[in-house]
Amino acid sequence: MSAPYAVSAADPRTAGAGAPPGAADGPADGPARALLARLDGLRGRVAALVERRAAGDPTADDPLRGLYLSEEAVRHLLGTWAPLTGGGTESRPTGTGTGRAVDEEPVPGPDDRLARLAGRSGLTALDAAVLLVALAPDVDRAFEPLYGYLNDDVSRRRATVGLALDLCGVPAHSAAARARLHVRAPLAALGLLEVDEPERPFLTRSLRVPDRLVGHLLGDDTPDAALLALLRPMPEPLPSDTAAEQFTHRLAALLASGPTTVYLREQREGDGLAVYAEALRAAGLDGMCCDLRDEDVSGLLREARLSGRAVVVPALPERPGPLVRALAAAPDVTVLLAGSRPYDPYWCPEDPLVLDAPGRRDGGTAAWRAVLGADADGFDLATTVAPYRLGGDRVRRAARAARALAAFDGGPVTAAHVRRAARRQSASGLESHTRRIRPAVGWGDLVLPEGPLGQLRELALRARHRDRVLGDWRLSAGGGRGRGVLGLFAGESGTGKTLSAEVVAADLGLDLYVVQLSSVVDKYVGETEKNLERIFTEADRTDAVLLFDEADAVFGKRSEVKDAHDRYANMESSYLLQRLESFDGIALLTTNLRANIDAAFTRRLDLVVDFPFPDAGQRLALWRHGLAHVPSADGIDAAPLARDFELAGGSIRGAVVTAAYLAAGRGGEVTADDLLEGARREYRKAGRLVPGEGGW
């Protein structure tokens, strides 16, 4: 008798009759041995079904027999088919039925990954048996011609629905059995089995098992190649403050209790990922951190099921609804989401557990010390990192950058290296509406009376210790008020307001962002508020100092409503009042006309610093400071200039610059005449009478 299908132009008696993997390569170990033991049981059922089908084969005398697999070739296959696990007796076809697969499976061992997968994913015994039938040709090629024989088609060398049900001893008309292969049934829904060729009749549709699942069952834990570009390693946990530790322990207890879905809303990018890393470690679990798209969900969930790891998504896409729904639909997988947006109930019909991620406070000194180690012993680490609120792995990356900078400079790590590295990790989107200034000044560049100078130092002190005072000591005003630091610098033009803001930023080790009012104020109703909201939102998540120069343009007094313009102007002011209440960053306002600032704004400010016009002694100090690095003729005395020309600091600098250009033009040093000419020009620009015009 011959089987009714063509195999190849080769000798049909030897088709698929090669030695099985187990026999050729020696006994398998671990997960592979457990899977091969299951295939040994399947082999017996295949042999029995072949025997039953061949008993009535009418093609023994077919003249095209050379194109068919003969019964002798089939029996040769079965006769040389030794047990895959090595040793034992040959499996011979016995009886005429296939038996029931669920009754013949071996007792699961500790390395039986199929049994573990079935238990973890809620698969039935029939599901596991069908899965085994479908993957058999991917493990032992001798199954291919036999499946082709049983399918009556040489080209169909995989199991079909009908063949799988037959080998499992289940009637093809069983509605319950057929339902296990439905697209929403566990096998297909979990990405473990694919039922191909939907255009064919149900019983002749091919079954295919993903290569990743076959590899996993054989002991290969390499992630699916399609996911490698999406996965990134979970960051190593870093020490946190007491409040964050308590939150993490509660979260770890939840994760250890079973699969769950959590959404952490974070104030700073990376806060949620840092908390998840610490909680997973405390719970004794592993996580897969991935940058996910909607189309990658199925493969990722399958990988999570196979490896038993949690899915960690540190950043949601622009439209997170489809992604969140797809992930939440997997109740057997722990899904951990993080993002800066508030959770929207429309994202998913089943809400996850929504929590606020604790950020790193007081600069996260413990985390910095953990990553810097002995490199942090040469300077005051707590004071250096206090202004920064870096989340997640940013601290570790900043520490690596600081070491690289120190190595480049050929010395130990210093506070300056740490500040430079930390600023680089605080990426900002503020530059679309602001101008960034990298501070290059210090307290020595300020010439101010002790009163304003002390207030400026207090401002920097508040920025460093706001978490302790307002948080730990519970001195926040409540009502949703943020922990921002707000200051107003008032004084005439040129008295040092902008320079002082730059000095404060430099002392804190932060960049200064000057708001460009031309890109903020818009003639259309509501657009100004939108632009300001973008600035405040970005400033909240950036370690920087925000400067509103000439702030009375947007923080002016509200007026009596006489027309629509007054109404909308008042709406802008009201919005700013509310937004300042919840601001968490550092914002400085400067104005030449303090009286124009609305009293409601000044009440919300932490400090108001008045910059007086410099007296003669301060003007002399400003002249000398401006000339400190300028080549000057011997014997220059700036005292007459300081006495006779009442100039503010900005004007004095302008006069020195003018004198320097005059000297550079003739290739010499700055002289007293150059300085005098510079001072006179500043007076003329201001429209003032020049003292001693025509002689000095």
Side-chain angles (χ1 to χ4, degrees):
M1 300 180 189
S2 60
Y5 70 97
V7 286
S8 68
D11 186 352
R13 292 173 297 176
T14 61
D25 302 332
D29 295 324
R33 185 178 183 85
L35 182 61
L36 296 179
R38 286 180 175 270
L39 291 178
D40 282 341
L42 175 63
R43 187 175 354 103
R45 296 195 298 278
V46 172
L49 185 58
V50 169
E51 180 72 21
R52 189 177 66 182
R53 296 274 183 91
D57 192 343
T59 62
D61 299 326
D62 195 318
L64 299 178
R65 185 182 180 204
L67 300 176
Y68 291 82
L69 184 65
S70 66
E71 182 180 349
E72 289 76 10
V74 173
R75 291 189 179 280
H76 178 69
L77 264 175
L78 299 176
T80 59
W81 206 1
L84 295 175
T85 53
T89 59
E90 294 182 350
S91 176
R92 301 292 184 183
T94 58
T96 59
T98 61
R100 293 190 59 83
V102 294
D103 297 332
E104 297 179 0
E105 297 300 333
V107 177
D111 292 325
D112 192 340
R113 291 193 170 188
L114 182 56
R116 270 193 293 169
L117 176 64
R120 193 164 56 233
S121 301
L123 302 181
T124 65
L126 177 59
D127 292 335
V130 169
L131 204 56
L132 185 68
V133 171
L135 65 83
D138 294 305
V139 179
D140 181 8
R141 60 196 175 104
F143 278 98
E144 288 190 61
L146 295 174
Y147 277 9
Y149 176 86
L150 296 173
N151 285 326
D152 294 331
D153 188 342
V154 67
S155 65
R156 304 183 64 74
R157 302 166 77 85
R158 287 190 176 276
T160 59
V161 173
L163 176 57
L165 295 178
D166 210 351
L167 287 173
C168 293
V170 178
H173 59 266
S174 171
R178 295 165 71 104
R180 303 308 298 177
L181 297 171
H182 191 272
V183 67
R184 295 188 180 277
L187 283 176
L190 302 182
L192 306 177
L193 183 70
E194 297 177 10
V195 183
D196 295 334
E197 304 167 301
E199 73 281 358
R200 299 182 67 97
F202 184 69
L203 293 179
T204 59
R205 296 175 186 173
S206 297
L207 302 179
R208 187 167 64 86
V209 176
D211 293 342
R212 175 67 188 101
L213 175 56
V214 177
H216 169 76
L217 295 177
L218 289 172
D220 183 5
D221 292 322
T222 305
D224 193 333
L227 297 175
L228 291 179
L230 306 176
L231 300 178
R232 51 189 172 107
M234 289 288 293
E236 289 294 325
L238 292 173
S240 54
D241 53 60
T242 303
E245 285 182 357
Q246 294 173 353
F247 179 91
T248 302
H249 289 325
R250 293 197 300 270
L251 182 58
L254 173 67
L255 299 181
S257 64
T260 186
T261 302
V262 180
Y263 177 71
L264 279 185
R265 186 185 180 189
E266 54 189 7
Q267 184 70 22
R268 288 295 188 90
E269 181 182 352
D271 284 345
L273 184 58
V275 172
Y276 283 145
E278 194 169 347
L280 286 170
R281 184 185 65 170
L285 302 174
D286 292 327
M288 293 188 302
C289 184
C290 51
D291 300 313
L292 202 56
R293 301 166 300 191
D294 298 350
E295 59 268 25
D296 305 314
V297 171
S298 178
L300 183 73
L301 290 176
R302 181 178 62 225
E303 187 66 37
R305 292 185 180 99
L306 297 182
S307 61
R309 292 187 286 175
V311 174
V312 182
V313 183
L316 295 179
E318 185 66 25
R319 299 180 61 186
L323 176 62
V324 175
R325 284 193 293 273
L327 292 173
D332 58 326
V333 176
T334 292
V335 177
L336 306 176
L337 310 169
S340 59
R341 282 178 286 181
Y343 176 77
D344 189 341
Y346 287 101
W347 289 353
C348 185
E350 296 293 333
D351 295 335
L353 176 63
V354 181
L355 303 169
D356 290 325
R360 297 201 175 272
R361 298 167 51 192
D362 290 332
T365 307
W368 281 96
R369 188 166 296 281
V371 296
L372 284 173
D375 290 331
D377 294 339
F379 56 93
D380 187 348
L381 179 64
T383 301
T384 300
V385 302
Y388 306 109
R389 295 172 290 167
L390 297 181
D393 203 36
R394 298 286 179 87
V395 172
R396 183 177 283 104
R397 293 170 61 180
R400 287 198 298 266
R403 288 195 177 99
L405 290 170
F408 181 78
D409 291 340
V413 176
T414 65
H417 294 134
V418 172
R419 289 191 179 110
R420 286 171 60 190
R423 283 204 303 266
R424 292 174 183 172
Q425 293 301 320
S426 185
S428 174
L430 283 170
E431 293 190 38
S432 59
H433 291 292
T434 63
R435 176 172 54 90
R436 183 173 67 172
I437 297 176
R438 288 284 176 86
V441 293
W443 294 107
D445 295 300
L446 289 180
V447 179
L448 291 172
E450 285 300 321
L453 194 60
Q455 287 181 297
L456 292 176
R457 293 187 182 276
E458 181 186 343
L459 192 64
L461 186 72
R462 285 175 178 254
R464 286 191 173 93
H465 300 292
R466 51 185 162 154
D467 282 329
R468 179 182 302 177
V469 173
L470 300 179
D472 296 344
W473 297 351
R474 303 178 65 84
L475 290 177
S476 176
R481 182 178 173 86
R483 297 179 182 177
V485 176
L486 309 174
L488 173 66
F489 296 169
E492 294 185 32
S493 178
T495 52
K497 301 184 294 299
T498 303
L499 177 64
S500 297
E502 189 175 349
V503 169
V504 170
D507 184 66
L508 295 172
L510 304 176
D511 288 336
L512 179 68
Y513 287 87
V514 182
V515 177
Q516 302 179 45
L517 296 180
S518 61
S519 65
V520 173
V521 179
D522 197 295
K523 66 178 181 179
Y524 294 104
V525 174
E527 291 302 314
T528 300
E529 291 89 331
K530 291 180 181 178
N531 293 334
L532 287 168
E533 177 60 29
R534 295 188 189 101
I535 292 174
F536 279 116
T537 300
E538 192 63 32
D540 270 335
R541 56 185 295 272
T542 302
D543 291 323
V545 176
L546 194 62
L547 175 63
F548 288 89
D549 211 358
E550 308 296 342
D552 42 299
V554 288
F555 294 88
K557 286 184 177 181
R558 288 168 290 183
S559 61
E560 180 183 354
V561 176
K562 296 181 180 178
D563 54 29
H565 295 288
D566 294 335
R567 176 187 176 191
Y568 290 119
N570 289 347
M571 287 175 59
E572 291 179 6
S573 297
S574 299
Y575 159 77
L576 283 169
L577 287 171
Q578 296 172 8
R579 193 60 182 86
L580 286 176
E581 290 280 1
S582 59
F583 186 55
D584 279 326
I586 304 171
L588 303 177
L589 290 63
T590 69
T591 180
N592 298 340
L593 300 169
R594 177 178 173 181
N596 287 352
I597 299 293
D598 196 302
F601 285 114
T602 57
R603 185 181 64 80
R604 287 164 171 79
L605 299 172
D606 294 295
L607 285 171
V608 176
V609 183
D610 288 310
F611 286 75
F613 194 88
D615 57 24
Q618 292 166 356
R619 292 197 296 271
L620 178 59
L622 288 168
W623 280 104
R624 289 173 176 172
H625 183 273
L627 291 168
H629 303 287
V630 178
S632 304
D634 294 336
I636 285 185
D637 184 10
L641 295 172
R643 181 187 66 246
D644 297 337
F645 290 88
E646 296 181 354
L647 297 173
S651 297
I652 291 175
R653 178 186 176 279
V656 173
V657 170
T658 297
Y661 275 116
L662 293 174
R666 65 173 181 272
E669 298 177 328
V670 172
T671 65
D673 290 338
D674 295 330
L675 294 177
L676 177 59
E677 179 60 26
R680 287 173 174 173
R681 290 188 184 181
E682 292 300 317
Y683 254 46
R684 294 190 188 106
K685 284 194 298 184
R688 302 174 64 182
L689 294 176
V690 178
E693 187 71 57
W696 185 34

